[in-house]
Amino acid sequence: MNEDTGTGTGTDTGTGTGTETGTARDADADADTHGGGTASRLDVLADRAGTWLARSGAAPARHTGAVAADRFDRMAWRDTYEQSPALRELAGDLGEHHAHTADLLTDVFLAAYKTAPRLREPAELAPSRLVNHRLVAALLESADFAELHRETAGDPYAAAMAVLAQGSALRRMLEDSRPARDRDERAERARREAEDAADAVAEALRQAADEAGEDGTVPGPAADAVRRAVREADAAGRRAASDAARSLAAAVPGVRAAARGAVAKSAAAAREETALMRAWGVGSGELERMPFDERARLAERLRTGRLAEWAELIGRFRQMAEGERARKVQNATGELIGVTLGDDLSRVIPSELANLGLPELRAVFAARYAAGELMLYDSQGEQATGRGAVIACVDTSHSMYEAGPGGITREAWAKACALALLDQARHAGRDFVGIVFSAADRLRVFRFPADRPAGLARTLDFAETFLGGGTSYERPLSAAAELLEAEFDDAARTRGDIVMLTDDDCGVTEAWMRGWNEAKRRLGFRVFGVGVGSPRVAAAGSVLEALCDNLRSVEDFTDVHAAADLFRVI
């Protein structure tokens, strides 16, 4: 905090006017002459020095921060600054070439962080900080600031990111403001000189009081020293007032345009990061509880590589899945498409039921029921949802890198679908397991129990894992069946759901197929297949068709609705 100069042109000019006339009056009124100067009365000298005595040692404080803030706001800045190497690096870089940049960064942070930022009046600031005031004022007046502020208010991390996003623009604005900064520095020096001059007046008057006689007469040299100090203070005050006026009137060319660009860039970065977090299911409450460095690492991880490219697709999948959940109908039969054979009495056709009305045909009905050969209505569409775990088997063989429409890869579509299934399972209170597979010797299992939070780090590990190599159906499906078997043994839950997402076809052995069918019958799980970018995989007669109860092919990777029915029945 700097002290106020207290200079004002009217006061200073008045103080400095008629000094010599006043001196002559003093001499005529109460002086006797001593060698080397004109004597004077102490009360007259004190009256002449009164303006400067009031300013000596009692100047009101001048602020160094353009944005009004309390100690809690400044504590938030200090804590954030200590946790952010990028902020410290920016401060060091700017500080090498420009003065008072630490205060400027504090102001930019507080403008973004405070719920209702308020700029101090220029007169409240030390002259050397007036350029900072102009720069922050330009940022606050920018058309995009309100949009930025919605993302950053009350969030130290987001406010720090806003400062960093504006770093290059602040550097350019500081370069453009050098002439104005030089004027501000001259005004600051003049203010301090005026303060020093006021102190010199006070000291000269103190010495004069020490030398004054009993009648209040001050010897000539001491009286002259007071008058000289007052004249020098008058001159310093006039210089300070003049420099302060020029400093206040100084402008920084181009500052508004630069500020608009800086705020627009910062707002865009804030929007992008918010959308990125939302796409990956990270809520604002979770972010606020997250330590700064952990949040910074997470943001960097999501902004780079494949994860950033998938964010928009994942967001659309989640939105679609949420809509399909709202349409879900429990235990509905769906669309009737014909007649089939079975033992489901709820779907027996009327002609079969008529047999029960004839005593001689009741035995025939019983025999057909026992053999599972009753004629039933066949339907497709919504079915009863499962109760066991949801397991997504995601192929990560080399061919899954291939891109389709919109530049979206097969892997991206499959992983986005699997992450939406993770949300689906958690919404229904079901366990979720992600199985990443390729060749028979390459497989990773990621478990997400329903009774524990789905850790974001593990979710990202699941999304990022890519094994490469060929494709094997037996290994991932066997692992899925074993997980459902264990769930049945532990919790007696059946009717799990397995979703197989692959772009490749491969054979299975007859012995394995028998075991697979037996596991399906015993555990009651369903298998859904998605041929990703490869129609032949889901064609009639394919191995995947033989394995799955419900199969579809996806070729347009921009279309998330190709998997919409999965989210109605799982």
Side-chain angles (χ1 to χ4, degrees):
M1 302 282 281
N2 294 336
E3 294 183 340
D4 193 355
T5 61
T7 52
T9 52
T11 302
D12 293 338
T13 304
T15 304
T17 303
T19 302
E20 296 303 328
T21 303
T23 303
R25 246 192 336 267
D26 293 345
D28 292 339
D30 45 37
D32 57 341
T33 304
H34 297 268
T38 302
S40 181
R41 290 184 59 80
L42 182 62
D43 56 348
V44 174
L45 292 174
D47 183 63
R48 290 283 295 116
T51 300
W52 298 105
L53 289 177
R55 298 177 185 182
S56 175
R62 288 291 184 100
H63 295 284
T64 58
V67 178
D70 58 30
R71 62 190 182 93
F72 298 105
D73 297 326
R74 296 192 175 277
M75 188 183 303
W77 161 250
R78 287 193 298 271
D79 291 345
T80 304
Y81 183 82
E82 290 171 2
Q83 295 178 67
S84 173
L87 278 179
R88 297 195 297 274
E89 183 180 350
L90 176 61
D93 181 41
L94 295 179
E96 287 182 4
H97 307 286
H98 306 282
H100 314 306
T101 53
D103 292 325
L104 175 62
L105 293 183
T106 304
D107 284 332
V108 176
F109 172 86
L110 292 174
Y113 173 71
K114 286 180 65 64
T115 304
R118 179 182 68 82
L119 276 180
R120 302 184 192 278
E121 292 299 323
E124 299 179 64
L125 291 177
S128 58
R129 305 312 197 275
L130 288 175
V131 161
N132 291 357
H133 186 281
R134 297 183 192 99
L135 300 187
V136 177
L139 294 173
L140 289 172
E141 292 166 4
S142 173
D144 292 309
F145 182 78
E147 182 181 356
L148 170 65
H149 196 242
R150 281 195 295 271
E151 303 289 348
T152 60
D155 187 340
Y157 171 85
M161 293 302 103
V163 174
L164 294 173
Q166 297 173 74
S168 59
L170 291 174
R171 188 178 294 106
R172 185 169 61 256
M173 293 161 72
L174 286 168
E175 288 292 339
D176 293 341
S177 67
R178 280 187 184 277
R181 179 80 75 182
D182 291 342
R183 284 191 290 271
D184 292 346
E185 294 292 349
R186 285 197 297 271
E188 179 73 8
R189 287 195 297 271
R191 181 184 70 85
R192 290 176 180 170
E193 289 172 1
E195 290 175 356
D196 293 342
D199 291 341
V201 171
E203 177 62 23
L205 190 65
R206 186 189 63 76
Q207 292 181 2
D210 290 343
E211 297 181 22
E214 293 183 358
D215 60 354
T217 301
V218 177
D224 285 348
V226 173
R227 298 184 190 105
R228 187 165 52 252
V230 170
R231 286 196 299 273
E232 291 173 356
D234 287 342
R238 285 192 293 273
R239 287 194 301 273
S242 175
D243 286 348
R246 284 195 295 270
S247 177
L248 285 169
V252 181
V255 65
R256 293 185 184 279
R260 282 196 301 271
V263 174
K265 178 181 178 182
S266 186
R271 281 195 310 271
E272 179 184 347
E273 183 157 316
T274 299
L276 200 59
M277 294 295 182
R278 190 178 296 119
W280 284 95
V282 187
S284 57
E286 184 179 356
L287 286 176
E288 290 172 5
R289 294 189 299 270
M290 196 176 293
F292 184 94
D293 54 347
E294 181 182 341
R295 185 170 172 182
R297 287 195 301 271
L298 171 62
E300 180 64 21
R301 186 176 182 184
L302 294 182
R303 276 196 299 265
T304 58
R306 296 177 298 158
L307 298 184
E309 298 171 3
W310 298 351
E312 192 271 339
L313 180 65
I314 291 169
R316 287 195 288 122
F317 251 108
R318 284 198 159 116
Q319 186 177 12
M320 177 273 294
E322 185 175 354
E324 294 303 321
R325 277 196 294 272
R327 296 177 54 199
K328 183 181 289 189
V329 179
Q330 298 285 350
N331 300 316
T333 57
E335 177 187 1
L336 296 176
I337 59 172
V339 176
T340 187
L341 299 179
D343 57 3
D344 186 351
L345 296 178
S346 67
R347 294 159 53 201
V348 175
I349 67 174
S351 62
E352 286 279 23
L353 291 175
N355 292 334
L356 291 176
L358 299 174
E360 60 272 19
L361 293 179
R362 288 175 186 169
V364 175
F365 182 91
R368 288 166 63 81
Y369 173 68
E373 294 179 351
L374 292 175
M375 287 190 291
L376 314 175
Y377 284 122
D378 194 10
S379 64
Q380 68 177 9
E382 286 82 2
Q383 305 169 35
T385 56
R387 292 194 303 262
V390 178
I391 302 177
C393 299
V394 183
D395 187 354
T396 59
S397 58
H398 284 310
S399 57
M400 291 290 285
Y401 270 137
E402 187 174 330
I408 300 172
T409 65
R410 297 174 177 182
E411 180 201 12
W413 195 96
K415 293 281 182 65
C417 183
L419 290 172
L421 288 169
L422 167 59
D423 287 348
Q424 184 86 350
R426 302 202 73 76
H427 186 271
R430 302 169 66 184
D431 292 350
F432 177 83
V433 181
I435 297 179
V436 179
F437 72 94
S438 59
D441 60 342
R442 299 186 182 185
L443 180 137
R444 284 194 63 185
V445 177
F446 297 86
R447 300 189 186 209
F448 299 88
D451 59 353
R452 292 200 294 271
L456 182 60
R458 187 151 183 81
T459 302
L460 295 179
D461 287 342
F462 168 53
E464 287 183 313
T465 298
F466 193 91
L467 302 177
T471 303
S472 168
Y473 286 176
E474 291 186 7
R475 178 81 187 282
L477 291 176
S478 293
E482 289 169 5
L483 289 166
L484 295 176
E485 182 88 48
E487 183 181 39
F488 175 75
D489 292 341
D490 292 342
R493 279 199 299 266
T494 58
R495 289 171 51 195
D497 291 311
I498 299 173
V499 181
M500 184 76 165
L501 300 120
T502 181
D503 70 340
D504 201 1
D505 197 15
C506 71
V508 295
T509 66
E510 185 177 343
W512 182 89
M513 194 68 178
R514 284 196 300 270
W516 172 255
N517 289 332
E518 172 58 24
K520 281 187 66 178
R521 185 196 62 77
R522 186 174 68 258
L523 301 173
F525 61 78
R526 298 175 298 180
V527 184
F528 300 83
V530 184
V532 184
S534 182
R536 64 176 178 80
V537 172
S542 67
V543 175
L544 194 60
E545 184 196 33
L547 294 171
C548 297
D549 305 300
N550 183 307
L551 182 62
R552 79 230 359 98
S553 177
V554 176
E555 296 183 66
D556 182 0
F557 300 156
T558 63
D559 180 17
V560 299
H561 292 279
D565 65 309
L566 289 177
F567 299 92
R568 288 196 298 272
V569 299
I570 290 180

